[in-house]
């Protein structure tokens, strides 16, 4: 029997999603709770691996058990066991062929930046130390939809077999006075890609690269052509589609 | 020369607004920064005293200096000196008769509760351990507008001369799925009053007091007739009017 778990987490104090010896990770906490409920062989597979400090308002994982379980009770018991920084909103039975990672057809991320000091967003947004031209950045972001090879934004030494991604949208939006959000959705993302894309768009927003220049960055197929990665704290995984 | 400062702060790690020996307070941090800028005699007076753990998205204070100052530069320098948990959004010259506390004609507070575990609101909302009937609570909240003596919600041993307050509104609103906000505005509030009013409304919401029963609580003029105070972390001072 396979089950999907839907969860959210504040990534501030986690060393990312994936289990690592000697480090507190989201998957590690979840595995520990699942093992207490369903036995030591239980473990979960996530829709993807978020980096240290990245948050999720919606993450999906699957786990297998030998017997059917009470889904509502499992949500309740997991929430009691997990720390306040992780919350499970749903547990549902799925077909055995469904896989949290391989069956996912879309992932959506949001990235927050603030132009002003904001005590309530200090853990959840990048505070901009410079001024950005968001209109210019949106012209560059739109050009990203016309390409599919994102090698220039791939972490060096990544283990993916292909660097091809199909973007559905990529745009900056002012969500409240002084707070901007970058929204990006694709079938898949390469390791570190979202933060490298945003860092490159910021080079455009600061006037160091022209909007069309982002196509040269992509054509280079070289991580060094792109901008620096932005800090993790502003990034949220907000949806995984199946 | 008198100046008004508008600021916001995350109250989680502060022992409230007011300076206290041996404790980190918002006023203490602000005084320290003002003294570094304008000399050791400088200190500020707040619009009110928020309790330990209470947040403010808009708080107002005043301070006096002997010479005119550059307001924009003062905002910039204060933000550089203050911790990430306090942000100054404005500094403006005012008439000498304007007083942050005595000239204020209205204060508005919001209180957040969540019906579900939410990693991102764990520092900013009370998680409800029971179910509440918000419609019933709103019937009781409306009755509060018909009275002015809030002795039953005053902290025992408070130093205020009168327990008379004029409420402008008091209502619960669902701001997103599973998140409710209590909005209350008045000319003034007694110490601890908002959290005692909310605790009493929750007794109504749990069916332990009828909506009309809140008038009996008020008529008693006795703190023991009211419900327990709710936790500080859900409370935000959101506006001070002059």
């Amino acid at each position: 029997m396979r089950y999907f778990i839907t969860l959210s987490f504040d990534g501030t104090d986690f060393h990312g999603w994936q289990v690592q010896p000697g480090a507190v990770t989201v998957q590690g906490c979840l595995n520990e709770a699942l093992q207490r409920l369903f036995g030591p062989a239980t473990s979960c597979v996530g829709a993807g691996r978020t980096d240290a400090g990245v948050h999720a308002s919606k993450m999906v994982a699957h786990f297998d058990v030998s017997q059917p379980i009470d889904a509502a009770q499992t949500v309740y018991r997991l929430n009691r066991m997990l720390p306040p920084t992780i919350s499970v909103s749903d547990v549902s039975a799925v077909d055995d062929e469904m896989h949290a990672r391989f069956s996912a057809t879309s992932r959506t991320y949001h990235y927050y930046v603030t132009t002003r000091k904001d005590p309530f967003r200090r853990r959840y947004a990048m505070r901009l130390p410079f001024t950005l031209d968001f209109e210019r950045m949106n012209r560059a972001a739109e050009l990203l939809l016309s390409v599919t090879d994102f090698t220039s934004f791939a972490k060096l030494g990544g283990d993916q077999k292909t660097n091809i991604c199909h973007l559905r949208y990529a745009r900056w939006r002012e969500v409240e006075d002084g707070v901007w959000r970058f929204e990006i959705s694709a079938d898949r993302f390469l390791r570190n890609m979202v933060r490298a894309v945003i860092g490159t768009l910021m080079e455009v927003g600061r006037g160091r690269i022209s909007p069309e220049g982002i196509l040269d960055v992509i054509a280079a197929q070289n991580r060094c052509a792109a901008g620096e990665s932005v800090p993790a704290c502003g990034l949220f995984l907000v949806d995984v589609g199946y």
Side-chain angles (χ1 to χ4, degrees), chain A:
Chain A
M1 297 283 307
R2 178 158 289 183
Y3 288 84
F4 265 30
I5 312 184
T6 308
L7 66 151
S8 60
F9 57 85
D10 180 330
T12 310
D13 299 328
F14 289 106
H15 288 264
W17 166 262
Q18 197 170 28
V19 164
Q20 279 181 58
V24 178
T25 68
V26 181
Q27 189 187 26
C29 288
L30 204 50
N31 281 350
E32 210 177 289
L34 289 169
Q35 286 160 11
R36 278 174 61 192
L37 290 179
F38 306 119
T42 324
S43 69
C44 66
V45 173
R49 286 174 286 179
T50 54
D51 288 333
V54 174
H55 315 289
S57 56
K58 183 181 169 183
M59 168 68 166
V60 178
H62 76 245
F63 67 96
D64 297 321
V65 283
S66 50
Q67 302 287 332
I69 59 172
D70 180 325
Q73 200 186 48
T74 302
V75 171
Y76 176 82
R77 294 172 74 187
L78 285 173
N79 280 327
R80 294 275 302 220
M81 282 186 275
L82 291 165
T85 44
I86 304 177
S87 170
V88 172
S89 58
D90 188 65
V91 169
S92 298
V94 293
D95 281 349
D96 283 357
E97 307 89 71
M98 283 290 285
H99 189 285
R101 183 170 171 201
F102 300 129
S103 306
T105 54
S106 75
R107 276 100 175 162
T108 305
Y109 284 91
H110 287 174
Y111 191 85
Y112 289 84
V113 301
T114 61
T115 58
R116 294 187 302 213
K117 192 180 183 187
D118 181 341
F120 303 107
R121 294 197 187 261
R122 70 190 195 284
R123 289 193 178 86
Y124 309 115
M126 173 188 178
R127 187 168 170 219
L128 293 175
F130 35 66
T131 309
L132 291 174
D133 179 338
F134 287 95
E135 205 216 305
R136 204 174 139 92
M137 286 156 78
N138 269 336
R139 294 214 305 279
E142 212 182 322
L143 294 173
L144 291 173
L145 306 188
S146 63
V147 300
T148 55
D149 186 327
F150 287 89
T151 304
S152 292
F153 303 106
K155 203 180 180 85
L156 297 172
D159 58 357
Q160 63 278 349
K161 296 191 186 83
T162 151
N163 291 331
I164 303 297
C165 307
H166 300 89
L167 263 56
R168 293 161 58 213
Y169 55 81
R171 65 200 167 212
W172 288 91
R173 220 186 258 281
E174 189 170 19
V175 289
E176 65 185 67
D177 194 32
V179 182
W180 288 77
R181 180 167 78 195
F182 183 60
E183 306 171 343
I184 188 165
S185 189
D187 56 344
R188 66 193 284 262
F189 288 99
L190 311 177
R191 190 89 196 278
N192 207 246
M193 171 175 156
V194 178
R195 288 157 60 196
V197 164
I198 295 167
T200 309
L201 290 175
M202 286 189 181
E203 294 292 295
V204 174
R206 296 170 78 178
R208 296 173 169 188
I209 302 179
S210 69
E212 299 70 30
I214 203 155
L215 296 175
D216 301 330
V217 170
I218 286 162
Q221 302 202 2
N222 181 346
R223 177 67 183 86
C224 301
E228 271 183 54
S229 280
V230 288
C233 78
L235 190 58
F236 288 73
L237 174 62
V238 299
D239 198 27
V240 185
Y242 291 91

